[in-house]
């Protein structure tokens, strides 16, 4: 059995992806925990219902659309963090930095507590609702350390290596479930999942790219980069179900391929920077940004010595909150990239060895930036945008900034600064869905709609090769920008939040039977104190209720900003207040009379105490938070009084290898330590490194709420589009799906029109392949929340063999399996159930006489008709013998045959596509249908040797197969 349910991203404008696969035996596999730029917690309600029964979770791409809600679910959904999660190493590392960038860039990611939940928790909130005052109270977001710990729980996998996962504690047995990751292109570490469970062979391929790019190899359908195969690899061919994305199903590939795409982007940039304009390229901060950063960095390296190139005098920047850590991880994962990147790295390493240690500064690896400068603070961006030359003229600048949606990140801030100058250019790199909400369409979707409308005309800019570049004019069109700000809770809102939090803590503790994600280490201390007070005979209900609310209030990250009075703290004032050493216990009751002891509650389950896996990691496995090792001891100079100040001449700084934390309040303001690159010494300091007038951003960690403000922005910049989405196009889908030959096809992750159009095309293509009608092809296009049954179509019968037939069977072994053919006569014979007989005999020894009679009646009723195969009569044997044909069973791999022939003293080598040449005269080919072709080249000399080789190859092939008759 196999059922598929899209939880998000099916016939929808939203890019979020969540899919639920349910297999035989109650096994549930969740693929992706995606979100979109709205960060609507209501879209996760169905996922929350499925958490208690999930078996495993698989992640495909390090993008918001595929894992944006992962940290939210780990923190706020009980038991979610205990479900085993599997992904490739790049998805884990880049996903970690992406989610950290997300939560430090926008408070919307924390999500607003639903008003209905607050109404149930507090009557005072109902009164505020009646007064039409929605406070927009936020959930507590996960900290950077918590996000790092969540991603450290993910099990890393490698490509093409089958793995049998372990189930979650509440899951049904997996019964041999096997998952295998294959390269999907599109992003670094992107995955096509192959899931094998019993007879079900499922291929999950969402957001893949067959084309080879500068950094990423193409998808592994035809064997990956350099394979050059014309057939889909055997592991992904003919699955019982193919789940494929339909996004891009109507998109046509750009003539000229990757080279033309790269040339078009550079021409667009040159046309704007030659006039002193600023080019903004909105992109993500972990996936497609690698392709753009590599292309632009190498373009600057190539043209920096060309006096006629506008790039020579232009500056190149990459702006994102956590981009330094992203690039650091990227440099350590070159083996996951295209072979050209590996060759470039190896060539650069060889050059460095020849030049020697003293001259290493002239070499540069693929992601060792010489021209691309990293910006991680808003103050840096402001100084860069205000930079001018010696004559006061603006300098051409190219800024890659997150995020693509322009709803959060630095891209929105840059657009606000450059919107009033028509020389500036915004290059969109992805096609966006039309806005589904006319009231709040989103900034990027609005600009995309303007580019499609071309209401104010276009400007044709000449390029170097004589072609015209289309740039759409905006001519002062206005757009509304919605800004979001986080402010601390106070007054009635704080009281409402305290009531809600106390209710949630009680509910989750009851459900999980222990500490929950709402508890921090300090919360456990408070609970221990409250437990001791509840055991006291002097405590009453008023004290207990007060302790509950105070404990819930103090269970936040920053107690100082909540505003608890000394009376509320009680005896805990000795622990919570600095400089307080006395407390009057006269007239106090219960725990108020005893000195508070901070007792840490040990977390344990039925198997014993829980351990911290990060305490047992090897040195190379330690995760890094804010650019530093989790277990790295803090520098003695990094104190509250010394951060951001110069050292004295006699002080010796501890070696830090140039790593600087990314946190807003923890960053050393030293000019040379802002860019994460080995070439930092080669890059002259820029205006972005001057931090003298920069004000640190205050981080609010106490309970808070959202405040929305709207402003109208007049847009004068030009708009351009260059497709850097790195997704499959219409030609790729129509070419590969017939080659894959799935029995059933499920289309998800696309808008309604393109999904239905692609489904109609696939029905025609697959029907023509097998010579059937269009209606005979199973192509499903489910909507969100709709379950489709895509189980494999098999008919199985249980038959019994007679003893005489079993004695005549001739068994052959093929790769650990025993195979035999049967030609027999089918009969129906009445049999007694042996299980019922055995059960009855055991019961009759223990039951009374009356119960024994009932058991005997049950045995009589258990007689069933079982189909039985018996030996053929003599008059039918001769007739069937003439009809039966020999059958070869097994799978021959050319690589195995090559080893066998070499071991037998023959020469064997691969030539061309799937061709094995033996002794220079015998060719062995294997077709996509499994047919093996052996061809001998007739030459004038050595006929005897050729004949010997031909029959030797033929014999070795037959030895690897079972020939049954």
């Amino acid at each position: 059995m196999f059922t598929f349910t899209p939880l998000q991203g099916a016939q929808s404008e939203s890019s979020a992806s969540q899919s639920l696969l349910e297999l035989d035996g109650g096994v549930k596999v969740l693929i992706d925990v995606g979100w979109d730029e709205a960060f609507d917690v209501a879209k996760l309600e169905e996922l929350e219902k499925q958490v208690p029964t999930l078996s495993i979770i698989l992640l495909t791409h390090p993008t918001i659309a595929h894992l944006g809600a992962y940290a939210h679910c780990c923190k706020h959904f009980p038991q979610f963090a205990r479900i085993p999660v599997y992904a490739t190493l790049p998805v884990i590392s880049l996903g970690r930095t992406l989610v950290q960038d997300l939560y430090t860039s926008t408070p919307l990611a924390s999500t607003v507590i639903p008003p209905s939940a607050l109404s149930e928790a507090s009557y005072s909130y109902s009164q505020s609702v009646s007064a039409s005052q929605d406070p927009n109270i936020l959930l507590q977001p996960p900290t950077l350390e918590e996000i790092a710990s969540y991603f450290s729980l993910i099990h890393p996998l490698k490509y093409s290596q089958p793995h049998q996962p372990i189930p979650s504690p509440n899951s049904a047995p997996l019964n041999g479930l096997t998952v295998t990751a294959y390269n999907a292109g599109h992003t670094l570490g992107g995955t096509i999942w192959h899931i094998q469970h019993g007879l079900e062979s499922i291929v999950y391929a969402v957001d893949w790219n067959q084309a080879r790019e500068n950094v990423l190899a193409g998808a592994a359908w035809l064997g990956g980069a350099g394979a050059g195969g014309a057939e889909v690899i055997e592991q992904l061919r003919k699955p019982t179900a193919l789940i494929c994305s339909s996004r891009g199903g109507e998109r046509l590939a750009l003539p000229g391929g990757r080279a033309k795409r790269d040339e078009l982007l550079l021409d667009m940039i040159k046309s704007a920077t030659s006039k002193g304009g600023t080019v903004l390229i909105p992109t993500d901060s972990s996936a497609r940004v690698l392709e753009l950063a590599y292309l632009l960095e190498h373009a600057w390296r190539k043209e920096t010595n060309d006096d006629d190139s506008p790039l020579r005098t232009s500056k190149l920047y990459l702006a994102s909150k956590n981009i330094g850590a992203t690039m650091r991880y990227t440099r350590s994962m070159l083996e996951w990239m295209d072979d050209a990147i590996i060759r470039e790295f190896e060539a650069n390493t060889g050059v460095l060895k020849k030049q020697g240690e003293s001259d290493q500064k002239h070499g540069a690896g693929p992601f060792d930036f010489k021209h691309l400068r990293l910006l991680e603070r808003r103050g840096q961006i402001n100084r860069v945008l205000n930079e001018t030359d010696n004559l006061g003229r603006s300098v051409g600048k190219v800024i890659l900034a997150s995020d693509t949606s322009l709803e959060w990140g630095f891209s929105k801030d840059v657009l606000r600064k450059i919107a009033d100058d028509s020389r500036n250019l915004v290059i969109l790199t992805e096609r966006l869905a039309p806005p589904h909400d006319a009231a709040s369409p989103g900034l990027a979707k609005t600009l995309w709609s303007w580019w499609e409308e071309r209401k104010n005309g276009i400007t044709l800019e000449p390029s170097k090769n004589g072609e015209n570049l289309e740039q759409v004019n905006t001519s002062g069109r206005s757009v509304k920008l919605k800004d979001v700000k986080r402010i601390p809770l106070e007054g009635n809102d704080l009281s409402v939040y305290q009531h809600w939090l106390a209710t949630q803590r009680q509910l989750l503790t009851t459900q999980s039977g222990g500490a929950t994600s709402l508890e921090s280490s300090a919360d456990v201390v408070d609970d221990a104190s409250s437990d001791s007070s509840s055991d006291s005979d002097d405590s009453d209900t008023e004290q207990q209720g007060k302790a509950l609310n105070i404990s819930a209030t103090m269970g936040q990250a920053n107690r100082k900003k909540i505003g608890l009075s000394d009376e509320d703290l009680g005896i805990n004032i000795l622990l919570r207040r600095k400089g307080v050493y006395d407390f009057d216990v006269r007239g106090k009751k219960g725990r108020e009379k005893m000195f508070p002891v901070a007792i840490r509650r040990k977390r344990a389950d039925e198997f014993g105490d829980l351990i911290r896996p990060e305490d047992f990691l090897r040195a190379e496995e330690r995760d890094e938070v804010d650019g530093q090792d989790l277990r790295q001891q803090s520098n003695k100079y990094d104190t509250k009084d010394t951060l951001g100040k110069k050292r004295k001449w006699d002080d010796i700084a501890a070696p830090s290898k140039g790593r600087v934390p990314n946190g807003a309040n923890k960053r050393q303001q030293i000019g040379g330590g802002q860019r994460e690159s080995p070439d930092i010494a080669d890059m002259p300091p820029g205006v972005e490194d001057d931090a003298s007038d920069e004000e640190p951003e205050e981080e609010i960690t106490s309970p808070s709420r959202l405040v929305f403000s709207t402003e109208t922005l007049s847009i004068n910049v030009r708009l351009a589009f260059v497709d850097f989405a790195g997704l499959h196009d219409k030609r790729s889908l129509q070419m590969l799906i017939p080659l894959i030959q799935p029995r059933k096809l499920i289309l998800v992750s696309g808008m309604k029109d393109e999904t239905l159009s692609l489904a109609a095309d696939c029905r025609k293509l697959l029907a023509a392949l097998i010579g059937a009608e269009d209606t005979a092809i199973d192509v499903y296009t489910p909507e969100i929340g709709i379950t489709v049954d895509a189980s494999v179509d098999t008919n199985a019968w249980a038959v019994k063999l007679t003893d005489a037939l079993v004695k005549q069977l001739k068994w052959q072994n093929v790769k650990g399996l025993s195979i035999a053919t049967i030609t027999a006569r089918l009969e129906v014979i009445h049999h007694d159930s042996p299980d019922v007989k055995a059960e009855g005999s055991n019961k009759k020894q223990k039951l009374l006489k009356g119960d024994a009679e009932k058991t005997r009646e049950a045995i009589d009723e258990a007689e069933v008709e079982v189909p039985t195969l018996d030996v053929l009569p003599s008059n039918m044997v001769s007739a069937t013998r003439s009809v039966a044909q020999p059958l070869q069973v097994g799978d021959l791999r050319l690589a195995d045959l090559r080893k066998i022939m070499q071991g037998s003293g023959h020469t064997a080598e691969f030539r061309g596509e799937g061709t094995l040449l033996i002794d220079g005269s015998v060719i062995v080919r294997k077709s996509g249908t499994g047919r093996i072709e052996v061809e001998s080249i007739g030459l004038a000399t050595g006929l005897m040797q050729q004949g010997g080789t031909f029959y030797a190859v033929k014999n070795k092939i037959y030895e690897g197969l079972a020939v049954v008759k």
Side-chain angles (χ1 to χ4, degrees):
M1 182 196 75
F2 164 55
T3 60
F4 175 81
T5 307
L7 302 182
Q8 285 196 58
Q11 298 191 32
S12 171
E13 291 79 11
S14 174
S15 60
S17 176
Q18 290 180 16
S19 302
L20 181 64
L21 286 66
E22 185 170 0
L23 304 171
D24 196 14
V27 177
K28 288 187 177 181
V29 180
L30 175 67
I31 303 182
D32 288 335
V33 196
W35 229 350
D36 54 21
E37 64 274 8
F39 305 110
D40 187 2
V41 73
K43 295 182 178 181
L44 304 178
E45 292 179 352
E46 187 60 33
L47 172 59
E48 186 176 7
K49 297 177 184 177
Q50 302 291 341
V51 169
T53 58
L54 290 179
S55 301
I56 62 172
I57 299 174
L58 305 177
L59 302 178
T60 57
H61 295 284
T63 61
I64 295 295
H66 293 273
L67 51 74
Y70 174 70
H72 174 89
C73 295
C74 287
K75 185 172 180 66
H76 299 293
F77 291 174
Q79 308 299 324
F80 187 89
R82 302 184 66 181
I83 303 174
V85 186
Y86 296 89
T88 59
L89 181 61
V91 172
I92 299 173
S93 300
L94 299 180
R96 177 193 298 113
T97 60
L98 170 67
V99 175
Q100 289 175 342
D101 180 27
L102 172 65
Y103 279 95
T104 55
S105 298
T106 174
L108 278 177
S110 303
T111 67
V112 177
I113 302 176
S116 58
L118 294 175
S119 299
E120 296 174 359
S122 175
Y123 175 75
S124 59
Y125 178 76
S126 301
Q127 299 298 319
S128 65
V129 170
S130 62
S132 299
Q133 297 178 358
D134 192 354
N136 292 320
I137 300 177
L138 289 174
L139 287 169
Q140 281 297 106
T143 63
L144 299 182
E145 290 79 7
E146 287 177 334
I147 294 173
S149 65
Y150 296 150
F151 278 88
S152 67
L153 299 176
I154 303 178
H155 302 273
L157 297 181
K158 295 182 178 179
Y159 284 149
S160 304
Q161 293 188 1
H163 180 78
Q164 291 189 346
I166 56 175
S168 64
N170 300 326
S171 168
L174 298 185
N175 297 326
L177 175 71
T178 303
V179 297
T180 310
Y182 294 93
N183 184 23
H186 181 55
T187 63
L188 188 62
T191 307
I192 294 174
W193 289 105
H194 178 257
I195 304 172
Q196 185 71 44
H197 186 262
L199 297 177
E200 303 289 349
S201 175
I202 305 166
V203 174
Y204 185 90
V206 172
D207 293 347
W208 49 271
N209 183 21
Q210 183 61 30
R212 181 180 176 184
E213 297 187 276
N214 295 306
V215 176
L216 305 173
W221 294 113
L222 305 179
E231 297 175 349
V232 175
I233 61 175
E234 187 173 357
Q235 295 84 351
L236 301 178
R237 192 191 313 142
K238 294 183 178 180
T240 57
L242 170 63
I243 304 167
C244 182
S245 55
S246 61
R247 184 179 295 114
E250 296 296 317
R251 182 175 65 89
L252 299 177
L254 181 68
R258 180 187 67 187
K260 183 64 177 178
R261 179 200 66 178
D262 297 348
E263 180 185 354
L264 179 60
L265 177 67
L266 294 176
D267 288 341
M268 290 284 188
I269 292 175
K270 293 176 182 178
S271 68
T273 55
S274 62
K275 304 173 184 177
T278 299
V279 180
L280 170 62
I281 306 178
T283 182
D284 54 53
S285 59
S286 64
R288 301 302 302 170
V289 66
L290 304 181
E291 181 76 13
L292 288 166
Y294 177 87
L295 170 64
L296 296 181
E297 166 68 19
H298 283 68
W300 253 257
R301 291 183 189 178
K302 181 179 178 181
E303 302 191 17
T304 186
N305 296 324
D306 186 359
D307 296 336
D308 297 331
S309 175
L311 302 184
R312 185 175 181 273
T313 57
S314 301
K315 301 292 185 66
L316 181 61
Y317 301 97
L318 175 55
S320 180
K321 286 275 189 178
N322 207 22
I323 195 61
T326 300
M327 291 304 167
R328 186 168 57 253
Y329 284 125
T330 302
R331 296 187 195 101
S332 65
M333 296 182 295
L334 298 181
E335 68 274 13
W336 294 84
M337 301 181 188
D338 187 69
D339 293 340
I341 299 293
I342 301 176
R343 289 194 297 268
E344 179 183 349
F345 173 76
E346 293 175 347
N348 177 65
T349 305
V351 171
L352 292 181
K353 289 182 179 179
K354 292 180 180 180
Q355 293 176 347
E357 296 292 334
S358 61
D359 200 23
Q360 284 193 9
K361 63 180 182 179
H362 295 292
F367 287 92
D368 296 335
F369 300 128
K370 285 181 171 293
H371 304 276
L372 181 66
R373 298 169 182 261
L374 306 185
L375 309 177
E376 295 186 336
R377 302 192 304 277
R378 185 170 285 105
Q380 291 178 311
I381 296 177
N382 294 335
R383 288 190 295 274
V384 164
L385 293 175
N386 295 330
E387 181 183 6
T388 58
D389 60 7
N390 297 331
L391 301 178
R393 296 172 300 185
S394 60
V395 180
K397 293 176 280 290
V398 179
I399 302 178
L400 298 169
S402 64
D403 178 66
T404 310
S405 64
L406 292 171
E407 294 299 313
W408 59 273
F410 289 144
S411 59
K412 186 176 183 179
D413 298 329
V414 174
L415 179 62
R416 183 185 281 110
K417 296 285 186 181
I418 68 172
D420 58 347
D421 194 342
S422 60
R423 297 177 301 171
N424 300 331
L425 178 66
V426 176
I427 301 179
L428 304 176
T429 58
E430 295 184 14
R431 299 176 186 269
L432 301 175
H436 58 278
D437 186 4
S440 56
L443 186 54
K445 292 183 178 180
T446 300
L447 296 183
W448 174 254
S449 64
W450 290 359
W451 187 88
E452 288 186 318
E453 293 173 0
R454 309 190 178 195
K455 181 178 180 181
N456 299 98
I458 62 175
T459 300
L460 298 179
E461 292 285 344
S463 63
K464 188 174 181 180
N465 56 8
E467 297 182 358
N468 291 326
L469 307 175
E470 291 187 359
Q471 298 178 2
V472 177
N473 300 321
T474 54
S475 302
R477 297 182 68 174
S478 60
V479 63
K480 290 186 178 180
L481 295 183
K482 180 183 290 186
D483 293 324
V484 183
K485 186 178 180 181
R486 184 201 305 262
I487 62 173
L489 288 179
E490 55 186 13
N492 183 47
D493 293 338
L494 180 58
S495 176
V496 170
Y497 177 77
Q498 292 174 1
H499 281 287
W500 175 84
L501 183 60
T503 304
Q504 291 297 112
R505 286 163 60 95
Q506 283 185 316
L507 178 62
L508 297 182
T509 303
T510 303
Q511 293 177 351
S512 59
T516 66
S517 61
L518 290 177
E519 296 179 345
S520 62
S521 59
D523 299 334
V524 179
V525 176
D526 296 334
D527 291 342
S529 302
S530 62
D531 290 343
S532 63
S533 66
S534 63
D535 295 336
S536 176
D537 296 334
D538 298 332
S539 60
D540 52 13
T541 56
E542 181 180 359
Q543 290 282 350
Q544 293 175 359
K546 183 178 179 181
L548 177 62
N549 290 333
I550 297 302
S551 177
T553 304
M554 295 195 317
Q556 305 304 316
N558 193 344
R559 275 82 178 171
K560 296 181 181 179
K561 297 184 179 181
I562 293 180
L564 292 177
S565 64
D566 294 346
E567 182 181 357
D568 293 333
L569 287 174
I571 193 68
N572 286 324
I573 194 175
L574 299 177
L575 299 177
R576 303 296 180 183
R577 295 284 191 242
K578 291 184 178 180
V580 178
Y581 307 102
D582 296 322
F583 183 76
D584 189 2
V585 297
R586 292 175 294 182
K588 304 295 183 181
K589 297 181 180 180
R591 69 185 185 117
E592 297 292 322
K593 296 185 64 175
M594 294 181 292
F595 188 85
V597 180
I599 303 176
R600 185 178 296 276
R601 180 187 301 169
K602 291 185 177 180
R603 300 186 60 184
D605 55 13
E606 59 271 19
F607 299 104
D609 294 342
L610 299 182
I611 65 174
R612 291 166 51 89
E614 55 268 24
D615 293 340
F616 300 91
L617 294 177
R618 296 191 298 271
E620 62 271 15
E621 294 177 337
R622 298 174 189 170
D623 294 312
E624 295 182 351
V625 179
D626 284 348
Q628 294 181 346
D629 196 292
L630 280 175
R631 297 191 294 183
Q632 181 180 353
Q633 297 296 329
S634 59
N635 190 354
K636 68 176 182 178
Y637 296 99
D638 296 340
T639 62
K640 184 177 180 181
D641 298 329
T642 59
L643 271 178
K645 297 182 179 180
K646 294 183 177 180
R647 302 190 313 273
K648 296 182 179 180
W649 287 105
D650 297 335
D651 292 340
I652 300 176
S656 60
K657 298 182 181 180
R659 293 183 177 180
V660 181
N662 296 327
N665 295 329
K666 302 178 182 179
R667 184 176 290 105
Q668 285 182 310
Q669 309 297 339
I670 300 176
Q674 301 305 326
R675 292 185 295 270
E676 296 286 345
S677 175
D679 300 314
I680 187 172
D682 299 340
M683 301 176 67
V687 294
E688 74 277 5
D689 294 326
D690 183 13
S692 58
D693 58 344
E694 184 168 346
E695 297 181 359
E697 299 177 6
E698 183 179 1
E699 182 179 359
I700 300 176
T701 56
S702 61
S704 54
R705 64 186 180 92
L706 290 181
V707 175
F708 295 94
S709 60
T710 304
E711 67 171 307
T712 301
L713 182 65
S714 178
I715 304 292
N716 284 297
V717 298
R718 297 179 182 180
L719 301 178
F721 171 69
V722 181
D723 193 352
F724 262 82
L727 289 174
H728 46 63
D729 54 13
K730 185 174 184 179
R731 178 178 176 273
S732 298
L733 291 169
Q734 294 183 352
M735 178 190 71
L736 279 170
I737 290 180
L739 291 178
I740 299 171
Q741 301 179 38
R743 297 188 184 180
K744 297 186 178 181
L745 177 62
I746 303 175
L747 297 177
V748 296
S749 186
M751 292 183 291
K752 183 175 182 179
D753 294 339
E754 61 185 359
T755 300
L756 298 180
S757 176
L758 179 60
D761 294 339
C762 290
R763 287 191 180 95
K764 296 178 181 179
L765 293 172
L766 294 175
L769 186 65
I770 63 175
E773 298 292 334
D774 295 355
T775 56
I777 306 300
D778 294 327
V779 178
Y780 302 99
T781 56
E783 297 180 356
I784 296 177
I786 303 300
T787 301
V788 296
D789 187 356
S791 303
V792 59
D793 297 328
T794 57
N795 297 315
W797 295 272
V799 297
K800 184 175 181 179
L801 307 183
T802 61
D803 295 338
L805 181 61
V806 172
K807 292 179 181 180
Q808 297 182 1
L809 296 180
K810 296 180 180 180
W811 296 96
Q812 298 190 49
N813 295 324
V814 178
K815 294 184 178 181
L817 300 176
S818 298
I819 299 176
T821 57
I822 296 178
T823 303
R825 180 178 59 183
L826 180 63
E827 298 178 348
V828 178
I829 301 177
H830 294 278
H831 292 276
D832 296 334
S833 174
D835 296 336
V836 178
K837 278 191 173 183
E839 183 182 358
S841 62
N842 293 333
K843 287 183 178 180
K844 282 189 287 186
Q845 297 176 5
K846 301 178 181 179
L847 300 179
L848 298 176
K849 182 177 181 180
D851 295 337
E853 292 178 355
K854 294 180 181 179
T855 304
R856 191 176 300 109
E857 294 176 358
I859 295 174
D860 295 337
E861 295 176 356
E863 295 183 356
V864 293
E865 295 181 351
V866 179
T868 304
L869 295 178
D870 199 356
V871 179
L872 285 175
S874 57
N875 59 349
M876 297 181 61
V877 173
S878 59
T880 57
R881 184 177 302 166
S882 61
V883 176
Q885 298 292 331
L887 178 66
Q888 286 79 22
V889 180
D891 179 27
L892 175 69
R893 297 184 59 190
L894 294 183
D896 296 338
L897 180 61
R898 175 173 173 265
K899 294 180 181 179
I900 293 174
M901 298 308 298
Q902 289 177 344
S904 302
H906 299 271
T907 61
E909 56 183 349
F910 286 104
R911 292 289 182 88
E913 300 178 0
T915 302
L916 181 63
L917 180 62
I918 302 173
D919 287 343
S921 59
V922 179
I923 295 176
V924 182
R925 296 187 182 92
K926 184 179 179 183
S927 65
T929 59
R931 181 181 179 87
I932 301 172
E933 299 177 358
V934 183
E935 179 182 352
S936 178
I937 303 175
L939 299 176
T941 59
L943 295 178
M944 294 297 296
Q945 181 182 358
Q946 295 170 17
T949 302
F950 177 81
Y951 288 107
V953 172
K954 188 175 180 181
N955 292 335
K956 292 299 181 182
I957 292 176
Y958 281 131
E959 288 178 5
L961 302 175
V963 182
V964 294
K965 299 180 181 181

